[in-house]
């Protein structure tokens, strides 16, 4: 059988990044929404709804980055300097919000400070991730085997747009997560927020989708050329259907549906990105085959991924199962 | 304003700073995770309350230390790309898979079971909870395995070939992973982590014994820590010696720098106890020497000839003063640790373990010694590898990203500010927890009934209450 390791690895990394986006997405979203919850009790519930799992969620980011380093070292070596500032900003944001999970319990007096750190850290990390995505989409200057652009190339109206879009998307994930995990007034608030954020996310999806094809001839060709358009048109169509279902689920005050449908929206947007980018790993410059690590490396890791990722998914699912159901305001270990 | 600065120096400073901060937390959490597993096992086995109280006491400290380790570790995983992109391109095919395996076998295991370990005792019952604790402890050790394999490969590269793009590629994964210095480095580091944790646990025990020598938790902590030190410190000295001999075989220039041997000694080298190495003049000033001892330690013979840095091209010299001094700090602290372990044994034999105030004061002072020794050890080995990132094959100056000095300088400043703010706060919180003695019914995972009743029977909670 003819197989193509580089493609397999591109799919694995795409999978890791997607799992990261939806898993850390909702807990970053909670950070973004944090200032909207005014009482200590509400904030404790919001924190407790993710405290047992956030660390596992963030590990997928390390797998995405580490996998890129291992499977496509050239792409990693080009992209990281190109995205220097957003990456550093993201890391510092994640430092603040990560420690806030433990620190905010340690001192009543300093709680507000760590709540603020949780909010700002989540917001900055999300903005930086969205901006990095936009910067990758718009293309990266490469010469030889190194980044050849300037230090501010990543900052454009388009990347700011993708940054804001991701903030909106994560916030929607966070709000629908709360619908699923909370009760009473907090849940009512989450329903209201979800409606507004759904509207905002739709606007963001439309704006990013409208802007992307104009970044380069390739993108528009890929989306609009006949007969490609027959296939690609399914993506916006599906987005419309999922949105309608999501709106209905919110009106009917369903528990689980809103979160799961939001995940569908993310999957569709992600597929849209895939259509735009493939087969580049650094758009316009380096394809997955050019960046691929030698076969010995990709095969060696493939064994590990094939055996270990299913096991990881099983025990991660178990951890979520242990903490299933609505959050009791009086639980926690602190 | 930063244009005159050298981006390579800045990138090195940034890496040294972030990795130094990071290494402290794994060194602590590797040992602490194992300690927690032992405490929970003892609790399950004996049913004695003191063990679950200690478990819950140290669990809260572990949670803070682990959180700081995670966030500073994520920074490390991206720093290769941002500041060392040429290094990443060239070594990615060999080091990348090792780090990917670390993520797959260690990080996910730790993170996946951490939530259950911290919050899940009443939900899953003591047995499953113990399994979660064990998984976290195993995860920390697996992490050490892979990261030290990757690090050792940079010191003693093996099992590789170089392809047309100038990348290192694997020729033999087994040789690559189990490269010549790896077994020594792994043992040395894991023992260091256990020592570090015993010293901290011993110091906290001693602190509370000084205030109240009848405190049961403090007695147990102090006793366990003294046993651990007495056993591990001598093993560590032995392992360190073997590691040194291995380094002499594979990285002689590093040992020359550690020993301060600028000159070759054809008929027996002295051991320089103290002195001020002068890199420009290539001499150690004010040296206090013991004749022939260096040859005895390194070659196990008084008159064995020992080569010095004069046999190594000048451009390949490591910075001697840093390596020389950090090595002495590490060894000195190691000897003090062994002394404390034997002092503990002596006062125990005399029946004075819990009321020998000088011993408690000594143990209290030694509390941070493990961290200092770990840092000093890392400085010795990493500075001793210079001027290479991959020893003998890839120079540090050829590893760096095409960086602009202002970008690195500003990110360095940001890291310094953020790390100091965050990690000082974390240290303060840990110290505050340590200031209270572990008491009866220490709050850990709380609640008499399962926190979320839906679909879960209260049986585990009842079992816990009976056992506790």
């Amino acid at each position: 059988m003819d197989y193509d390791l580089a493609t397999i690895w591109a799919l694995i990394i795409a999978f890791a990044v997607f799992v990261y986006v939806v898993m850390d997405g909702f807990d970053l979203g909670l950070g973004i929404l944090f200032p909207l919850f005014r009482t200590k009790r509400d904030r404790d519930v919001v924190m407790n709804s993710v405290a047992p799992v956030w660390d596992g969620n963030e590990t997928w980011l390390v797998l995405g980055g580490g996998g890129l380093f291992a499977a496509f070292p050239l792409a990693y070596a080009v992209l990281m300097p190109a995205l220097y500032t957003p990456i550093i900003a993201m890391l510092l944001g994640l430092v603040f919000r990560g420690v806030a999970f433990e620190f905010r319990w340690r001192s009543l007096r300093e709680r507000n400070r760590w709540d603020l750190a949780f909010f700002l850290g989540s917001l900055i990390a999300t903005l930086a991730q969205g901006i990095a995505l936009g910067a990758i989409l718009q293309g990266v200057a490469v010469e030889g085997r190194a980044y050849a652009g300037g230090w501010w190339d990543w900052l454009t109206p388009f990347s700011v747009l993708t940054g804001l879009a991701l903030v909106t998307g994560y916030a929607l994930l966070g709000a629908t997560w709360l619908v699923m995990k909370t009760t009473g007034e907090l849940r009512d608030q989450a329903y209201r927020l979800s409606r507004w954020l759904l509207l905002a996310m739709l606007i963001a999806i439309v704006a990013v989708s409208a802007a992307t094809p104009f970044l380069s001839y390739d993108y528009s060709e890929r989306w609009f050329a006949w007969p490609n358009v027959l296939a690609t048109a399914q993506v916006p169509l599906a987005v419309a259907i999922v949105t309608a279902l999501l709106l209905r689920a919110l009106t009917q005050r369903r528990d689980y549906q809103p979160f799961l449908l939001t995940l569908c929206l993310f999957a569709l947007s992600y597929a849209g990105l895939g259509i735009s980018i493939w087969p580049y790993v650094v758009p316009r410059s380096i394809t997955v085959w050019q960046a691929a690590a030698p076969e010995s490396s990709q095969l060696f890791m493939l064994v590990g991924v094939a055996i270990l990722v299913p096991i990881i998914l099983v025990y991660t699912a178990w951890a979520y199962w242990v903490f299933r159901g609505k959050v009791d305001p009086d639980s926690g270990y602190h | 304003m930063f244009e005159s600065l050298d981006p390579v120096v800045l990138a090195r400073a940034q890496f040294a700073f972030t990795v130094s901060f990071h290494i402290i937390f794994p060194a602590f959490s590797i040992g602490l995770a194992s300690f927690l597993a032992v405490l929970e096992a003892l609790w399950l086995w004996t049913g004695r309350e003191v063990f679950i109280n200690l478990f819950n006491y140290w669990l809260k400290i572990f949670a803070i230390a682990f959180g700081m380790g995670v966030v500073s570790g994520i920074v490390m995983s991206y720093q290769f790309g941002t500041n060392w992109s040429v290094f990443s391109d060239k070594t990615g095919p060999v080091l990348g898979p090792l780090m990917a395996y670390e993520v797959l076998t260690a990080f996910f295991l730790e993170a996946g079971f951490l939530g259950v370990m911290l919050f899940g005792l009443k939900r899953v019952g003591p047995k499953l909870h113990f399994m979660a604790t064990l998984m976290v402890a195993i995860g920390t050790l697996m992490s050490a395995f892979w990261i030290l394999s990757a690090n050792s490969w940079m010191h003693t590269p093996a099992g590789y070939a170089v392809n047309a793009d100038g990348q290192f590629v694997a020729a033999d994964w087994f040789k690559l992973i189990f490269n010549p210095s790896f077994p020594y480095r792994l043992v040395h580091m894991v023992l260091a982590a256990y020592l570090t944790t015993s010293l901290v646990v011993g110091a906290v025990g001693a602190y509370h014994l000084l205030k109240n020598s009848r405190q049961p938790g403090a007695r147990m902590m102090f006793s366990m820590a003294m046993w651990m030190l007495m056993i591990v410190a001598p093993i560590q000295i032995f392992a360190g010696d073997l590691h040194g001999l291995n380094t002499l075989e594979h990285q002689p220039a590093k040992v020359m720098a550690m020993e301060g041997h600028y000159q070759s000694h054809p008929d027996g080298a002295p051991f320089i106890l103290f002195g001020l190495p002068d890199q420009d003049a290539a001499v150690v000033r004010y040296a206090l020497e013991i004749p022939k001892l260096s040859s005895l330690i390194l070659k196990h013979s008084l008159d064995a000839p020992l080569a010095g840095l004069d046999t190594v091209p000048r451009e390949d010299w490591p910075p001697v003063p840093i390596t020389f001094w950090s090595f002495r700090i590490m060894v000195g602290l190691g000897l003090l640790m062994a002394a404390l372990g034997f002092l503990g044994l002596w006062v125990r034999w005399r029946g004075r373990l819990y009321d020998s105030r000088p011993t408690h004061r000594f143990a209290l002072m030694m509390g941070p010694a493990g961290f200092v020794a770990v840092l000093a050890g890392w400085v010795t080995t990493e500075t001793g590898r210079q001027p290479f990132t991959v020893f003998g094959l890839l120079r540090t100056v050829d590893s760096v990203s095409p960086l602009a000095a202002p970008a690195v300088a500003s990110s360095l400043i940001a890291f310094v500010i953020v790390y100091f703010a965050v990690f000082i706060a974390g240290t303060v919180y840990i110290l505050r927890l340590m200031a209270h003695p572990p008491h009866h019914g220490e709050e850990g995972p709380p609640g008499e009934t399962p926190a979320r009743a839906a679909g879960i029977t209260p049986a585990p909670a009842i079992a816990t209450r009976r056992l506790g």
Side-chain angles (χ1 to χ4, degrees), chain B residues 199-259:
Chain B
L199 287 162
V200 173
V201 172
V204 173
Y207 174 73
H208 293 297
L209 284 177
L210 282 169
K211 296 207 290 194
N212 170 13
S213 66
R214 309 227 50 85
Q215 219 288 330
R219 285 174 159 237
M220 184 58 75
M221 278 193 271
F222 191 68
S223 173
M224 288 174 84
M226 287 305 114
W227 278 126
M228 195 70 186
L229 267 186
M230 199 274 290
I231 298 165
V232 177
I235 299 177
Q236 178 70 309
I237 290 171
F238 180 65
D241 182 50
L242 289 181
H243 185 24
L245 294 178
N246 176 266
T247 307
L248 180 66
E249 188 183 337
H250 296 278
Q251 297 175 288
K254 184 194 285 186
V255 177
M256 293 166 195
M258 283 155 64
E259 302 274 320

Side-chain angles (χ1 to χ4, degrees), chain A residues 49-74:
Chain A
S49 76
V50 287
V53 292
W54 76 271
D55 188 13
N57 296 347
E58 218 156 276
T59 306
W60 291 91
L61 178 66
V62 186
L63 184 64
L68 191 67
F69 174 45
F72 302 104
L74 177 60

Side-chain angles (χ1 to χ4, degrees), chain A residues 48 50-56 102 312 314-324 332-333, chain B residues 36 40 43 52 55-56 59 62-63 66 108-137 444-446 452 456 460 464:
Chain A
N48 278 339
V50 287
V53 292
W54 76 271
D55 188 13
E102 283 299 325
I312 290 165
V314 167
Y315 64 64
T316 303
W318 178 70
Y320 272 82
W321 172 250
V322 166
F323 297 101
R324 71 192 176 279
Y333 83 110
Chain B
L36 286 170
E40 193 170 14
W43 172 60
I52 189 67
F55 177 84
N56 286 330
L59 184 62
F62 178 79
F66 190 85
F108 275 113
L109 202 64
E110 295 169 49
F113 287 96
L114 181 76
V116 177
M117 182 188 182
L118 292 182
F119 305 95
L121 180 57
K122 300 290 155 66
R123 276 164 181 269
V124 299
K127 294 250 168 62
L128 265 181
H129 184 264
F130 175 60
M131 186 202 71
T133 308
L134 210 55
M135 289 298 141
V136 172
R452 272 161 246 181
I456 302 176
T464 309

Side-chain angles (χ1 to χ4, degrees), chain A residues 55-180:
Chain A
D55 188 13
N57 296 347
E58 218 156 276
T59 306
W60 291 91
L61 178 66
V62 186
L63 184 64
L68 191 67
F69 174 45
F72 302 104
L74 177 60
Y76 183 79
V78 168
L79 284 178
M80 291 301 140
L83 304 173
Y84 194 83
T85 311
I87 294 279
I88 303 269
M90 173 189 83
L91 295 172
L92 294 175
L94 291 177
V95 167
F96 270 117
R97 74 179 292 276
V99 296
F101 278 97
E102 283 299 325
F103 287 6
R104 67 186 296 277
W105 302 99
R106 298 292 154 216
S107 155
L108 279 175
R109 203 160 39 87
E110 288 149 33
R111 169 164 296 166
N112 286 335
R113 198 187 301 167
W114 292 114
D115 283 357
L116 184 68
F118 183 57
F119 162 64
L120 285 178
S122 302
L123 182 68
I124 289 170
T126 307
L127 255 180
Q129 286 174 7
I131 286 175
L133 171 69
I136 293 173
L137 270 176
Q138 73 198 8
V140 170
V142 179
E143 246 170 58
R145 298 178 73 82
Y147 174 61
W151 293 98
W152 296 94
D153 284 12
W154 51 273
L155 187 62
T156 62
F158 180 74
S159 68
V160 173
L161 175 65
T162 52
L164 293 173
L166 198 68
V167 171
T168 316
Y170 280 2
L172 177 62
L173 267 177
T176 53
W177 168 263
L178 283 182
V179 163
M180 188 164 77

